[in-house]
Amino acid sequence: METIYALSTAAGRAGIAVLRLSGPHARPALEALTGGKASVPREAMLVRFRDPETQAPLDRGLAIFFPAPASFTGEDVVELHIHGGRAVVAAMLRALGQLPGLRAAKPGEFTRRAFENGKLDLTEVEGLADLIDAETEAQRAQALRQMEGALGQLYEGWRARLMRALAYAEAEIDFPDEEVPGDLIARLGPEIAALESEIGVHLDDGRRGERLRDGVEVAIVGPPNAGKSSLLNRLAGRDAAIVSDEAGTTRDVLEVRLDIGGVPVTLADTAGLREAAGAIEQEGVRRALARAEAADLRIVMVAPGAAGIGDGFALARPDDLRVLNKVDLGAAVPAGVIGISALTGQGIDALEAALAARVGSAYEAREHPVITRARHREGLGDCAASLARAGAALKAGRDAELVAEDLRLAARALGRLTGRVDVEDLLDVIFRDFCIGK
Ligand code: GDP
């Protein structure tokens, strides 16, 4: 096994930087860098790092040695806490590159080794990736929970129950004469039904976990000049913390990312509705409408015109937030409508509170861990379909072999979620998104 090394902290100038090594040569490498100083397990050692060839001093810092298997990867791991200057990091990386048996790590390679050594299952690996990417409190809480194994334990628990049911069906196949007829149905029927129902409830979660991970979509819709862009700018100005231009955003839809009560919100102004002259702009309008249609929440905005607000809310659906803008011009605010002025800031607090109430209540942590990726949803869908077939075969009095085969497929679908079975093809996809040093 090769020993890998990488800068685990972000690249660039900083107070400190952490280099990480994993593999059988990690400890000899540390000793070579410290002039033969003995490595004490799991203790921060203040050391002088030297060029292993010339013995020229490179930096002074901390070194920690984590002997296998009690380390992140399950291998011998060394962490070097050095000063975060570019030249210091470059010199240390150069020194590491000269040592025998060491090579630079590929993206996600530390975590992949942790997975391969049974330190993390795949859902925990995904939780770790999400924790690193988390921008808001609710995302952080969800990712941490998954990294600590809540989702993996749920799936493993179901899989263990399926394996027991399968063992029972297999016993029936191997020793058919020893069982009383009908016993298989009595023993397996309720368990299959219970699993189907639990998985069904887990799947029927309104995609909360996935939405929290991706960001909740809120669209501002309304006629031209209602003040949609003005509101977007005002909200963005207040919550500038994570305002960013999303990659792949078309110019038809202006959007900003906000942190509303700990939940990441992508707020889109369907600007394309404004001018619909040419074919390209019509395409913009189509996209803007589709976007508003697909949004998790819509803010329907109206502003008083020459004839008041008329039936401006005619198109609003019951769960849309209704907003009357330009209250600074003196229009009366109807019941059930939030009056704001994007110009003066009046009513923006109330609008934000209403947004936070809608968004926050939908995504607050619940008792059970939630699905956070399409991959989970697909696997659980496969599992549920196999379970349904097993249940039907059982009821129809089919051979135990047929029931067993579907139970096996259902268990395999769950096993793929945690990485217990045939996941080779999946691994590249999952680890590809990691950065080097993770
Ligand atoms: P959009 O077409 O819906 O995006 O509307 P804009 O945000 O571009 O605003 C249209 C016009 O209304 C601009 O001239 C704004 O300055 C003005 N406007 C926006 N919000 C307010 C408001 O709260 N009060 C007043 N008096 N004018 C506003």
Side-chain angles (χ1 to χ4, degrees), residues 334-368:
V337 171
I338 302 167
I340 65 161
S341 169
L343 195 68
T344 67
Q346 187 185 338
I348 298 291
D349 281 339
L351 174 59
E352 269 202 341
L355 265 177
R358 291 289 188 92
V359 167
S361 65
Y363 297 92
E364 74 201 6
R366 315 250 168 126
E367 195 185 331
H368 299 291

Short mmCIF file of all heavy atoms in Angstrom, two decimals, residues 334-368:
data_model
loop_
_atom_site.label_atom_id
_atom_site.label_comp_id
_atom_site.label_asym_id
_atom_site.label_seq_id
_atom_site.Cartn_x
_atom_site.Cartn_y
_atom_site.Cartn_z
N PRO A 334 -54.50 44.59 2.07
CA PRO A 334 -55.62 43.67 2.34
C PRO A 334 -55.23 42.60 3.37
O PRO A 334 -54.03 42.36 3.58
CB PRO A 334 -55.87 43.00 0.97
CG PRO A 334 -55.10 43.79 -0.03
CD PRO A 334 -53.99 44.46 0.70
N ALA A 335 -56.24 41.99 3.98
CA ALA A 335 -55.98 40.94 4.97
C ALA A 335 -55.26 39.77 4.30
O ALA A 335 -55.50 39.47 3.13
CB ALA A 335 -57.31 40.45 5.56
N GLY A 336 -54.35 39.14 5.04
CA GLY A 336 -53.63 37.98 4.51
C GLY A 336 -52.50 38.35 3.57
O GLY A 336 -51.90 37.49 2.94
N VAL A 337 -52.23 39.64 3.46
CA VAL A 337 -51.17 40.11 2.56
C VAL A 337 -50.12 40.83 3.41
O VAL A 337 -50.46 41.50 4.37
CB VAL A 337 -51.76 41.08 1.50
CG1 VAL A 337 -50.66 41.74 0.69
CG2 VAL A 337 -52.73 40.32 0.59
N ILE A 338 -48.85 40.62 3.05
CA ILE A 338 -47.78 41.32 3.76
C ILE A 338 -47.45 42.58 2.97
O ILE A 338 -47.10 42.52 1.80
CB ILE A 338 -46.53 40.43 3.88
CG1 ILE A 338 -46.88 39.13 4.60
CG2 ILE A 338 -45.40 41.16 4.60
CD1 ILE A 338 -45.81 38.06 4.49
N GLY A 339 -47.60 43.72 3.62
CA GLY A 339 -47.29 44.98 2.96
C GLY A 339 -45.83 45.33 3.16
O GLY A 339 -45.32 45.27 4.28
N ILE A 340 -45.13 45.63 2.07
CA ILE A 340 -43.72 46.00 2.19
C ILE A 340 -43.41 47.20 1.30
O ILE A 340 -44.21 47.57 0.43
CB ILE A 340 -42.77 44.85 1.76
CG1 ILE A 340 -42.92 44.55 0.27
CG2 ILE A 340 -42.96 43.60 2.60
CD1 ILE A 340 -41.74 43.80 -0.33
N SER A 341 -42.25 47.76 1.55
CA SER A 341 -41.70 48.71 0.60
C SER A 341 -40.26 48.30 0.34
O SER A 341 -39.42 48.40 1.23
CB SER A 341 -41.75 50.14 1.13
OG SER A 341 -40.96 50.97 0.28
N ALA A 342 -40.01 47.82 -0.85
CA ALA A 342 -38.64 47.43 -1.21
C ALA A 342 -37.76 48.66 -1.23
O ALA A 342 -36.55 48.57 -1.08
CB ALA A 342 -38.63 46.72 -2.56
N LEU A 343 -38.40 49.83 -1.37
CA LEU A 343 -37.66 51.09 -1.47
C LEU A 343 -37.19 51.55 -0.08
O LEU A 343 -36.01 51.85 0.11
CB LEU A 343 -38.55 52.16 -2.11
CG LEU A 343 -37.87 53.43 -2.61
CD1 LEU A 343 -36.99 53.09 -3.80
CD2 LEU A 343 -38.93 54.46 -3.01
N THR A 344 -38.12 51.60 0.88
CA THR A 344 -37.78 52.13 2.22
C THR A 344 -37.39 51.03 3.21
O THR A 344 -36.85 51.32 4.26
CB THR A 344 -38.97 52.90 2.82
OG1 THR A 344 -40.02 51.95 3.09
CG2 THR A 344 -39.48 53.97 1.88
N GLY A 345 -37.73 49.78 2.90
CA GLY A 345 -37.41 48.69 3.83
C GLY A 345 -38.55 48.39 4.79
O GLY A 345 -38.48 47.43 5.57
N GLN A 346 -39.60 49.15 4.71
CA GLN A 346 -40.76 48.91 5.57
C GLN A 346 -41.32 47.51 5.31
O GLN A 346 -41.45 47.09 4.16
CB GLN A 346 -41.82 49.97 5.25
CG GLN A 346 -43.02 49.98 6.17
CD GLN A 346 -44.06 50.99 5.68
OE1 GLN A 346 -43.74 51.94 4.94
NE2 GLN A 346 -45.30 50.80 6.07
N GLY A 347 -41.65 46.78 6.40
CA GLY A 347 -42.29 45.47 6.25
C GLY A 347 -41.36 44.33 5.86
O GLY A 347 -41.79 43.18 5.79
N ILE A 348 -40.09 44.63 5.62
CA ILE A 348 -39.17 43.57 5.18
C ILE A 348 -38.94 42.56 6.32
O ILE A 348 -38.83 41.36 6.08
CB ILE A 348 -37.83 44.16 4.68
CG1 ILE A 348 -38.07 45.07 3.46
CG2 ILE A 348 -36.84 43.07 4.31
CD1 ILE A 348 -38.50 44.34 2.20
N ASP A 349 -38.90 43.08 7.56
CA ASP A 349 -38.74 42.19 8.72
C ASP A 349 -39.88 41.17 8.75
O ASP A 349 -39.67 39.98 8.96
CB ASP A 349 -38.79 42.99 10.03
CG ASP A 349 -37.46 43.67 10.29
OD1 ASP A 349 -36.45 43.22 9.71
OD2 ASP A 349 -37.45 44.63 11.08
N ALA A 350 -41.10 41.66 8.56
CA ALA A 350 -42.27 40.79 8.61
C ALA A 350 -42.21 39.75 7.49
O ALA A 350 -42.53 38.58 7.69
CB ALA A 350 -43.55 41.61 8.51
N LEU A 351 -41.78 40.19 6.32
CA LEU A 351 -41.67 39.27 5.19
C LEU A 351 -40.61 38.20 5.48
O LEU A 351 -40.83 37.01 5.25
CB LEU A 351 -41.32 40.04 3.91
CG LEU A 351 -41.03 39.16 2.68
CD1 LEU A 351 -42.23 38.28 2.34
CD2 LEU A 351 -40.66 40.02 1.47
N GLU A 352 -39.49 38.64 6.02
CA GLU A 352 -38.43 37.68 6.34
C GLU A 352 -38.89 36.69 7.40
O GLU A 352 -38.57 35.50 7.33
CB GLU A 352 -37.17 38.41 6.83
CG GLU A 352 -36.23 38.72 5.70
CD GLU A 352 -34.82 38.95 6.18
OE1 GLU A 352 -34.63 39.21 7.40
OE2 GLU A 352 -33.91 38.85 5.35
N ALA A 353 -39.64 37.20 8.38
CA ALA A 353 -40.15 36.31 9.44
C ALA A 353 -41.12 35.29 8.84
O ALA A 353 -41.09 34.11 9.19
CB ALA A 353 -40.83 37.13 10.53
N ALA A 354 -41.95 35.75 7.91
CA ALA A 354 -42.91 34.84 7.28
C ALA A 354 -42.17 33.78 6.47
O ALA A 354 -42.51 32.60 6.48
CB ALA A 354 -43.87 35.62 6.39
N LEU A 355 -41.11 34.22 5.77
CA LEU A 355 -40.29 33.29 4.99
C LEU A 355 -39.63 32.26 5.91
O LEU A 355 -39.66 31.06 5.65
CB LEU A 355 -39.18 34.05 4.27
CG LEU A 355 -39.42 34.48 2.84
CD1 LEU A 355 -38.22 35.28 2.35
CD2 LEU A 355 -39.63 33.27 1.94
N ALA A 356 -39.05 32.77 7.00
CA ALA A 356 -38.34 31.88 7.92
C ALA A 356 -39.31 30.88 8.54
O ALA A 356 -38.97 29.71 8.72
CB ALA A 356 -37.65 32.70 9.02
N ALA A 357 -40.54 31.34 8.83
CA ALA A 357 -41.52 30.43 9.44
C ALA A 357 -41.87 29.31 8.47
O ALA A 357 -41.91 28.14 8.84
CB ALA A 357 -42.77 31.21 9.84
N ARG A 358 -42.07 29.67 7.19
CA ARG A 358 -42.42 28.66 6.19
C ARG A 358 -41.26 27.70 5.97
O ARG A 358 -41.43 26.49 5.99
CB ARG A 358 -42.71 29.32 4.85
CG ARG A 358 -43.95 30.12 4.80
CD ARG A 358 -45.18 29.22 4.86
NE ARG A 358 -46.35 30.03 4.63
CZ ARG A 358 -46.88 30.22 3.43
NH1 ARG A 358 -46.36 29.64 2.39
NH2 ARG A 358 -47.94 30.98 3.28
N VAL A 359 -40.11 28.28 5.74
CA VAL A 359 -38.95 27.49 5.38
C VAL A 359 -38.44 26.69 6.58
O VAL A 359 -38.19 25.50 6.49
CB VAL A 359 -37.86 28.44 4.83
CG1 VAL A 359 -36.53 27.74 4.73
CG2 VAL A 359 -38.27 28.97 3.47
N GLY A 360 -38.36 27.38 7.73
CA GLY A 360 -37.80 26.74 8.91
C GLY A 360 -38.62 25.56 9.38
O GLY A 360 -38.09 24.48 9.65
N SER A 361 -39.94 25.71 9.42
CA SER A 361 -40.75 24.63 9.96
C SER A 361 -40.68 23.40 9.05
O SER A 361 -40.76 22.28 9.52
CB SER A 361 -42.20 25.08 10.14
OG SER A 361 -42.76 25.34 8.87
N ALA A 362 -40.51 23.64 7.77
CA ALA A 362 -40.47 22.50 6.85
C ALA A 362 -39.16 21.73 6.95
O ALA A 362 -39.10 20.57 6.60
CB ALA A 362 -40.68 22.98 5.41
N TYR A 363 -38.12 22.38 7.44
CA TYR A 363 -36.81 21.73 7.39
C TYR A 363 -36.18 21.50 8.75
O TYR A 363 -35.04 21.08 8.83
CB TYR A 363 -35.87 22.53 6.48
CG TYR A 363 -36.41 22.55 5.08
CD1 TYR A 363 -37.23 23.57 4.65
CD2 TYR A 363 -36.18 21.48 4.23
CE1 TYR A 363 -37.81 23.55 3.39
CE2 TYR A 363 -36.74 21.45 2.97
CZ TYR A 363 -37.54 22.49 2.55
OH TYR A 363 -38.11 22.45 1.31
N GLU A 364 -36.93 21.79 9.81
CA GLU A 364 -36.31 21.60 11.13
C GLU A 364 -36.06 20.10 11.35
O GLU A 364 -36.73 19.24 10.78
CB GLU A 364 -37.20 22.19 12.23
CG GLU A 364 -38.42 21.37 12.52
CD GLU A 364 -39.52 22.20 13.21
OE1 GLU A 364 -39.33 23.44 13.34
OE2 GLU A 364 -40.53 21.62 13.58
N ALA A 365 -35.04 19.82 12.15
CA ALA A 365 -34.63 18.43 12.36
C ALA A 365 -35.77 17.64 13.01
O ALA A 365 -36.45 18.13 13.90
CB ALA A 365 -33.40 18.39 13.24
N ARG A 366 -35.99 16.47 12.51
CA ARG A 366 -37.01 15.59 13.09
C ARG A 366 -36.33 14.42 13.76
O ARG A 366 -35.12 14.29 13.76
CB ARG A 366 -37.93 15.05 12.00
CG ARG A 366 -38.37 16.11 11.03
CD ARG A 366 -39.83 16.45 11.17
NE ARG A 366 -40.10 17.66 10.41
CZ ARG A 366 -41.03 17.76 9.49
NH1 ARG A 366 -41.78 16.73 9.22
NH2 ARG A 366 -41.23 18.89 8.86
N GLU A 367 -37.17 13.54 14.28
CA GLU A 367 -36.65 12.41 15.03
C GLU A 367 -35.84 11.48 14.13
O GLU A 367 -34.79 10.98 14.53
CB GLU A 367 -37.84 11.67 15.62
CG GLU A 367 -37.49 10.69 16.70
CD GLU A 367 -38.73 9.93 17.15
OE1 GLU A 367 -39.85 10.50 17.06
OE2 GLU A 367 -38.59 8.78 17.55
N HIS A 368 -36.33 11.26 12.91
CA HIS A 368 -35.67 10.28 12.04
C HIS A 368 -34.76 10.96 11.03
O HIS A 368 -35.07 12.04 10.54
CB HIS A 368 -36.73 9.46 11.30
CG HIS A 368 -37.62 8.70 12.22
ND1 HIS A 368 -37.16 7.63 12.96
CD2 HIS A 368 -38.91 8.87 12.57
CE1 HIS A 368 -38.14 7.17 13.71
NE2 HIS A 368 -39.22 7.90 13.50
#
